[in-house]
Amino acid sequence: MSAITNHMPTAELQALDAAHHMHPFTAGNELGEKGARVITRARGVTLTDSDGNEILDAMAGLWCVNIGYGRGELADVAARQMRELPYYNTFFQTTHVPAVALSTKLAELAPRDLNHVFFAGSGSEANDTNIRMVRTYWAMKGKPDKSIIISRKNAYHGSSVGSGSLGGMSYMHEQGGLPIPDVHHINQPHWWAEGGDMSREEFGLARARELEEAIEQLGENRVAAFIAEPIQGAGGVVIPPETYWPEIQRICDKYEILLIADEVICGFGRTGNWFGSQTVDIRPDIMTIAKGLSSGYAPIGGSIVRDEIADVIGSGEFNHGYTYSGHPVAAAVALENLRILEEEKIVEHVRDVAAPHLEKTWGTLADHPLVGEARSVGLMGTIALTPDSERRAAFAGDSGAVGYICRERCFANNLIMRHVGDRMIISPPLVIRPEEIDTLVSRAAKALDETYDEIRKQGIFKAA
Ligand SMILES: *Cc1c(COP(=O)(O)O)cnc(C)c1O
């Protein structure tokens, strides 16, 4: 067989892809019918596909390409590290320079006494580590029954058996026998969809107090930890009411429940601070990291852990680890990514320039007849599509049908924007410039216009 390259016709690549490549979160039959979009190269915030289209990537890949595409420094560092030491493990009391340097740097960047890093290859793996670590921690402190982890419906914490169990996506639990035992889900602080007649503030408090109710019902001596994303990403960029997080922190403190902040999306500048925990002002015991840690240039994740927990875990042997925990090439790439984020003041750019500009321009979409609310925090944005914004109504037809049409209209206008049900969400590279944000918002507005025309033509602009 001849080499498969960028120069092959798109249809041939698509046919081979459909024949041999099993895709995550994709219906196989659709692939056969329509073919996958083939992305061939990228620079800054712009992707190029196999037909030469230039597409503004308002999702930063999968929420991860924080420093933008095409940074040759990371390629140089990876090549250098591969020549010097492509691989060695960190098991059985061995280490290497990239793991030393990256863990030291992360301890410096992370708030308070979050000073210890357990490396993984991804966010899913890191959350699997967290399940075993918090249960082991309590067992080593003589409380083996403290094993339940409380999470939230519509949370996303990964796709492995453990992390998928922590997540609250019911369509994931339906496949493969999830969740594992001793995971308990409470409701999410999603005011737009579930707030009913309550104000945002009342609703935020009510949803936080579900944690307290769950702890009292399950028994304080049974609950090990609460895990949550500071701002839910894959669930549809759910920005909690301001009352939510202070109450959650109070409850975790009161009942001695470990707080795990899943920073896989919010970390590394996404919300205008280094960590989302700083934006929502919480004090986690463990932070899950991945995605923006390496800006997606190499697969790496981990758990950043407080002194006291690391001391307890370190007082025995933690029978856990991955072949690629602290992989030297991935660690070197991550370190270079952090250097760029820091030296080019990219987090400050988000906070002072990009986020305020996005909030202003993205906010104008709320005036569109198809849009109920348009919100953003840092560089995470969401809009709710609705036939009746007054009532915050859902559409009469299948949930997600209108969102899907809108996503397709975005693609047709060279914009990658994702839909979660009938919400549209964005999470662009952090280096996006104000004029690129203007392009993003004007393409989104055009896609909304076309969606509006289309669904009225189809007769599905109707409230449930
Ligand atoms: C993506 C994601 C994960 C899982 O990370 P993977 O690297 O895909 O395993 C976990 N938590 C959150 C919040 C995520 O967005």
Side-chain angles (χ1 to χ4, degrees), residues 39-252:
I39 305 300
T40 51
R41 53 177 60 86
R43 194 152 285 278
V45 302
T46 307
L47 308 169
T48 305
D49 73 11
S50 54
D51 296 326
N53 294 306
E54 304 227 310
I55 307 162
L56 198 165
D57 182 10
M59 283 306 300
L62 276 179
W63 325 77
C64 55
V65 189
N66 288 13
I67 61 168
Y69 296 93
R71 293 299 301 250
E73 300 93 321
L74 275 66
D76 294 342
V77 160
R80 208 180 309 138
Q81 186 60 47
M82 271 198 201
R83 290 201 176 90
E84 194 167 296
L85 180 70
Y87 176 75
Y88 200 72
N89 71 74
T90 53
F91 287 29
F92 319 131
Q93 214 166 341
T94 56
T95 194
H96 47 66
V97 177
V100 175
L102 182 59
S103 54
T104 304
K105 184 71 202 173
L106 287 168
E108 179 198 315
L109 289 172
R112 308 174 2 265
D113 63 339
L114 288 152
N115 286 327
H116 310 266
V117 187
F118 195 105
F119 286 113
S122 67
S124 300
E125 287 180 7
N127 278 325
D128 279 17
T129 297
N130 293 339
I131 295 172
R132 300 195 63 206
M133 182 147 28
V134 298
R135 289 176 175 172
T136 304
Y137 166 82
W138 287 117
M140 291 177 82
K141 294 196 27 143
K143 297 183 177 175
D145 293 336
K146 260 172 106 66
S147 60
I148 298 176
I149 301 173
I150 300 179
S151 177
R152 306 179 300 177
K153 294 175 186 164
N154 197 37
Y156 190 80
H157 296 298
S159 187
S160 59
V161 173
S163 64
S165 296
L166 293 179
M169 304 290 184
S170 53
Y171 60 90
M172 287 175 67
H173 291 175
E174 281 160 18
Q175 297 175 326
L178 276 57
I180 59 171
D182 281 0
V183 176
H184 181 87
H185 294 90
I186 60 174
N187 283 306
Q188 56 176 337
H190 193 340
W191 176 79
W192 173 269
E194 301 173 3
D197 294 332
M198 282 189 222
S199 69
R200 269 182 74 86
E201 291 68 29
E202 287 168 345
F203 180 71
L205 272 183
R207 283 290 156 99
R209 286 185 184 148
E210 285 196 18
L211 176 59
E212 188 156 36
E213 287 155 24
I215 293 167
E216 288 190 339
Q217 180 208 329
L218 297 162
E220 183 180 342
N221 55 346
R222 289 282 286 118
V223 181
F226 174 66
I227 182 168
E229 306 151 80
I231 293 156
Q232 284 156 267
V237 182
V238 178
I239 301 168
E242 306 243 310
T243 47
Y244 182 74
W245 274 113
E247 186 68 1
I248 293 282
Q249 181 71 60
R250 180 190 71 75
I251 295 164
C252 289

Side-chain angles (χ1 to χ4, degrees), residues 26-45:
T26 303
N29 56 345
E30 280 174 24
L31 265 183
E33 285 158 21
K34 252 183 24 179
R37 196 166 288 100
V38 183
I39 305 300
T40 51
R41 53 177 60 86
R43 194 152 285 278
V45 302

